[in-house]
Every structure is written in C-alpha cells, then in structure tokens.
Amino acid sequence: MSTPERNQNQSTACDELHDLLPAYAIGALDHAEAEHVRTLLQECPEQQAELDDYIALSGALYERIEPVAPPVELHDRLMEQIRQQKADTVPPRQPVAFHENNAQGSSAPRSNQRLLKWGLAIAAMLAIISNLMWSSQLNNAQQTISNLNGELDETRQTLSDLETEYAQYVAASTNVNQQLQNQQQDIVQLISVSNLERVALASTGGNGEAALATLLWEQGASSGRLISTSLPDLPANETYQLWVISGEQPISAGVFNRDENGIVTFPVSLTDDITTFEAIAISVEPEGGSDAPTTDPIALAPL
C-alpha cells in the first residue's frame, strides 16, 4: 500500500474515532464497538487527549446537574423513540471487517449510525440523570420521614411524662385535700364543745405580742390541740418541740413540724389536767427532739 493511500486510510479511521469518542466516554457503546475504538486509538494516539477531555466533561456534568425532576413520562417516551429509530434505521447486524474497502465506502450509512449512537448516548445519559435524581429524592423523603418519626417519638415521650406528672399532681392534691378536711373536722369538733379553753402562745422574738400558735382544749381535759399557721419553716435537721412547765422543770409534750401547706394541727396529750401546769412553750430543737430545751423558747404562754 502506497504512502498516500495509508495516510488517507488513517485519516478516515481517525475521523471515525472522532465520531465515536463521545459515546465511548459515557459507556454507550457495546463490547465490539468499544474494542474497535480501542483499536483505533492505537492508530490515532493523538486523540487520546480528546477522549480524556470527554471523560472529564461527562464526570463534571454528572456532578453539576441541578436536581430538577423530569416529567414522569420522559423515560418511556425516550425509550419508545429509540426503539422506533432502531427499527427504521438499523439493519440486522453483520460481521464487520475493518479494511481498506470499508474505509472508502459510502458516508450515508455511517452518518445514520452516528446519529443513532448519539441518540443512544443522550438517552443513556438522560436515564442515568433521571435515576440519580429519583434516587436522591427518595433518599431525601426517607430521611424526612425518619426525622418526623423521631420528633413524633419525642412528642409522645413528652406527653407521657406530662400525663405522669399530672397524675402525681392529682394524687398529691387529693391527699392534701383529705388532710385539710380531717384537720377541719378535728378543729370543728374541738371548738364545738361548750367549755372550750384556749391560750395564745406569743412570740418571744421582739415582734410584739403576735401569737405564733394557739392551744385549744376542753376544760378539765389532759389533751388538746396546738394550732398554728404562723410558725416559720425549719431546716431538715431541726424540729419544733412543745414544753409544759411545772415549777422550773420543763416537760416535753412532743415534737412537731409544719405540713406542706404551712399548717400545724398537733395533738397534745399530757398525764394531768392541762391547767395544772404553769406555762406552755415552743422551742427549736435538733431533729428528733431533746430531753431538755437547748434553745430559748420562740413562743410562750402562761396557763
């Protein structure tokens, strides 16, 4: 083969390679066509740089595609058009021998083949893009559902906690109401007697004659009830202690504290008639009480 003929054949092969490179870069050729491209690249090594550019361009295209949802019917319409083009333009495949006569053949069939390859390449690219976008949208939807389920679980837990707190509040309120009713009944029963005695225990803290507590008892009885709404709250390691005084000897009548509502209704029970004692007093003592007063009385009343 002469040098001009060889150069003409190489030029024709390089032209064919130039047309096949875009479809090859995105993987739109079948196995035989891809092998043919690799063979042509050996004859036209200067087109390797062009192939590298196509590969880089197709990769960048995939990364920069904006997530725009295609019409639902696009995929089916494209595939139908491709099937029609194949039926109209592609004859049954025959073994192809790439030699000099083929290289000098008519350009019209090759042009149709190029159009078909470009159509297939574009359709494949669109299908890939569509699948990527649908997959991304599905992942986003699944993540949104997962987030909503997490928020729903938190809301349910919060609601459950609130229901528990409400039930505890109702139970505590019921208990407090019952205690108040019992205290009211005891006081009403006590003050309803005809010979009721009472004495107010005045503060000794320099704030005048303000009464901190009141002792109620039935005349001639050895028991009664100490009532107060004015005693201050104490630390957990302290308590109030009631004393009755005979001569100079204080006798303990018991320890007590305010309830959660700040009320004292302490039952007093002595060995003798209350009026046989000279005075009654309240002091602040260590938790559990003392055998004898350890502090000065905060409230005091003669009997």
Side-chain angles (χ1 to χ4, degrees), residues 16 20 32-33 36-37 39-40 43 95-103 113:
E16 181 182 7
L20 292 173
E33 290 169 334
H36 181 50
V37 168
T39 300
L40 293 177
E43 299 180 15
V96 178
F98 293 91
H99 49 70
E100 296 178 0
N101 292 336
N102 287 337
Q113 291 179 359

Side-chain angles (χ1 to χ4, degrees), residues 26 55-66 125 129:
I26 64 172
I55 293 175
L57 180 61
S58 62
L61 177 62
Y62 292 148
E63 295 177 355
R64 298 190 180 189
I65 292 173
E66 295 293 336
M125 183 178 294
I129 294 171

Side-chain angles (χ1 to χ4, degrees), residues 60 90 102 105 122 183 207 213 284 297:
V90 180
N102 287 337
I122 293 173
Q183 291 172 358
N207 54 349
V284 176

Side-chain angles (χ1 to χ4, degrees), residues 14-23 47 110 114 117-118:
C14 291
D15 290 341
E16 181 182 7
L17 177 61
H18 176 77
D19 294 336
L20 292 173
L21 284 181
Q47 295 202 24
R110 188 172 64 186
R114 290 175 184 173
K117 294 180 186 300
W118 272 105

